[in-house]
Amino acid sequence: MLAYIARRLLLMIPTILGIMLVSFVIVQFAPGGPVERIIAQLQGNDSTSSRLGGGAGGDFGGAAQGGGQASNYRGAQGLDPALIKELEKQFGFDKPAPERFLKMLWDYSRFDFGKSYFRDVSVLQLIREKLPVSISLGLWMTLLSYAISIPLGVRKAVRDGSPFDVWTSGVVIVGYAIPGFLFAILLIVLFAGGSFWQIFPLRGLYSDNWSQLSFAGKIVDYLWHITLPVTAMALSAFATSTLLTKNSFLDEIRKQYVLTARMKGLTERRVLYGHVFRNAMLIVVAGFPGAFISAFFAGSLLIETIFSLDGIGLLSYESVLNRDYAVVFANLFIFSLISLFVHLLSDLTYTWIDPRIDFETREA
């Protein structure tokens, strides 16, 4: 197993390099860029509201910028070419693209992500500020959906075809069909002062008097704030995990070894949780990394927007719109790395659930 882990860790290096290279090349041909963004603001043509800061100090990225002449940038006519050159130097676009890419890799290998282009703060500090929101949503959504879907899926498999299975399947299908953001709006209308009850807060991760609360009060306040967004996010994930668990258990229950165990006189509980559970849960465990990681991006973006939660999903989206490539590439690198480690952890969990799985033997 140690050899397998070492190989997986070594394979992460070319994987990360490939991800960053492809993304960097795509960005070179993307329209616009930080320099054109500032030019648009100087000309009064920029409709977005990002706050200009101290710049990244010469990092990387950007569309294919060239030449140092104002005419190379859309809308730059009439501006001093010296100003354009200064902007290029500030963002590092005075260097060739290969040199910028190599510098980015060297800085990232030391976890030096520089400063945000349009916020006078380091990228790491910016991510640290947004991370608690995304961790809260992703972790609680995953735990809640799995805590409900696994017992329910097992129960549905055991009682397959019964009235319980039929009506719960209807609930699950309806839950899967309703988009998370639409359910979030419904929750706001019902429970956040929309048209009915004012039970839960509409925005933020904690109250304004957070620092004055006791430890127990902080926990209650925190759970009070995340109830609606986590519920909205867990709806579709709960439905998917329930059906996956049920089908996986049904497939295992119908196998010959289960019939043999029953013929030997083992109790149904022993058969189900002593033999079937371990095998059936493998496919459920396989979906955990994707469910957890996706909560940081597309899964949480709309929820963060609706509930005014300033997390990683919203940060990534705004950074792409604002051409803040320092933040975009840092997010891509960090969470690609996290994703690779989570998938390795998933493989190790396989061997913990079923010791018969040996990745080294399989690869040999």
Side-chain angles (χ1 to χ4, degrees):
M1 180 55 68
L2 292 178
Y4 172 77
I5 295 175
R7 284 196 298 270
R8 286 291 298 270
L9 292 175
L10 290 175
L11 282 174
M12 289 181 186
I13 298 176
T15 303
I16 286 290
L17 289 176
I19 292 173
M20 301 307 297
L21 176 61
V22 171
S23 302
F24 186 86
V25 171
I26 292 175
V27 164
Q28 302 311 302
F29 296 99
V35 175
E36 290 187 349
R37 175 100 165 78
I38 294 182
I39 290 173
Q41 290 178 335
L42 292 175
Q43 300 284 23
N45 298 324
D46 188 16
S47 59
T48 56
S49 57
S50 286
R51 177 171 53 86
L52 294 181
D59 279 324
F60 47 77
Q65 317 284 359
Q69 298 297 325
S71 58
N72 289 331
Y73 298 98
R74 183 175 55 187
Q77 289 76 13
L79 293 180
D80 186 358
L83 173 62
I84 304 300
K85 282 184 171 292
E86 182 63 27
L87 290 175
E88 288 180 338
K89 183 177 181 181
Q90 176 180 340
F91 293 116
F93 298 148
D94 57 331
K95 302 179 178 66
E99 184 178 344
R100 297 201 306 270
F101 180 69
L102 292 177
K103 183 179 187 304
M104 178 184 71
L105 295 181
W106 170 246
D107 290 341
Y108 281 13
S109 67
R110 298 176 291 119
F111 290 93
D112 178 10
F113 301 103
K115 279 189 173 184
S116 166
Y117 284 173
F118 301 109
R119 311 174 195 228
D120 193 17
V121 63
S122 70
V123 174
L124 274 181
Q125 181 180 340
L126 197 59
I127 293 176
R128 278 197 299 265
E129 291 174 357
K130 315 298 182 183
L131 203 54
V133 172
S134 296
I135 290 179
S136 296
L137 293 178
L139 183 61
W140 287 111
M141 182 274 289
T142 306
L143 292 179
L144 179 63
S145 62
Y146 272 64
I148 296 175
S149 62
I150 291 177
L152 180 59
V154 173
R155 187 67 172 172
K156 285 172 63 62
V158 172
R159 302 182 61 179
D160 183 41
S162 67
F164 172 81
D165 180 45
V166 173
W167 75 261
T168 53
S169 293
V171 173
V172 168
I173 291 173
V174 171
Y176 181 77
I178 299 177
F181 74 91
L182 188 61
F183 187 59
I185 295 174
L186 176 62
L187 292 176
I188 289 175
V189 171
L190 291 177
F191 304 111
S195 299
F196 294 89
W197 303 282
Q198 177 70 57
I199 300 176
F200 296 98
L202 182 59
R203 63 183 66 247
L205 200 60
Y206 46 82
S207 300
D208 294 335
N209 62 338
W210 166 267
S211 59
Q212 303 173 6
L213 298 175
S214 63
F215 179 74
K218 289 181 178 180
I219 294 177
V220 172
D221 183 76
Y222 167 75
L223 295 176
W224 181 48
H225 278 77
I226 67 170
T227 296
L228 292 188
V230 169
T231 301
M233 289 185 65
L235 183 66
S236 60
F238 143 76
T240 303
S241 301
T242 299
L243 295 178
L244 181 64
T245 303
K246 177 193 173 182
N247 293 332
S248 179
F249 268 79
L250 282 178
D251 184 59
E252 290 296 324
I253 287 173
R254 293 165 181 166
K255 290 185 177 179
Q256 184 63 41
Y257 76 90
V258 176
L259 298 177
T260 303
R262 287 171 174 166
M263 291 175 62
K264 289 182 178 181
L266 296 180
T267 63
E268 190 66 21
R269 184 178 182 84
R270 178 71 180 277
V271 171
L272 188 62
Y273 292 101
H275 297 274
V276 176
F277 185 84
R278 182 178 61 182
N279 296 326
M281 284 302 296
L282 288 175
I283 192 172
V284 179
V285 170
F288 180 85
F292 183 71
I293 295 299
S294 65
F296 286 94
F297 297 100
S300 64
L301 172 58
L302 292 175
I303 301 299
E304 289 178 8
T305 303
I306 291 172
F307 289 99
S308 300
L309 298 171
D310 196 6
I312 294 295
L314 188 58
L315 172 66
S316 300
Y317 176 71
E318 290 179 344
S319 299
V320 171
L321 289 183
N322 296 331
R323 303 299 191 266
D324 195 345
Y325 294 127
V327 179
V328 171
F329 279 102
N331 273 333
L332 180 65
F333 177 83
I334 292 173
F335 290 102
S336 294
L337 196 61
I338 292 176
S339 179
L340 291 173
F341 275 105
V342 170
H343 279 83
L344 175 59
L345 180 62
S346 176
D347 286 349
L348 299 179
T349 307
Y350 280 150
T351 62
W352 174 67
I353 295 177
D354 189 350
R356 296 172 300 175
I357 296 178
D358 189 343
F359 289 106
E360 292 187 38
T361 303
R362 186 185 65 180
E363 291 191 352

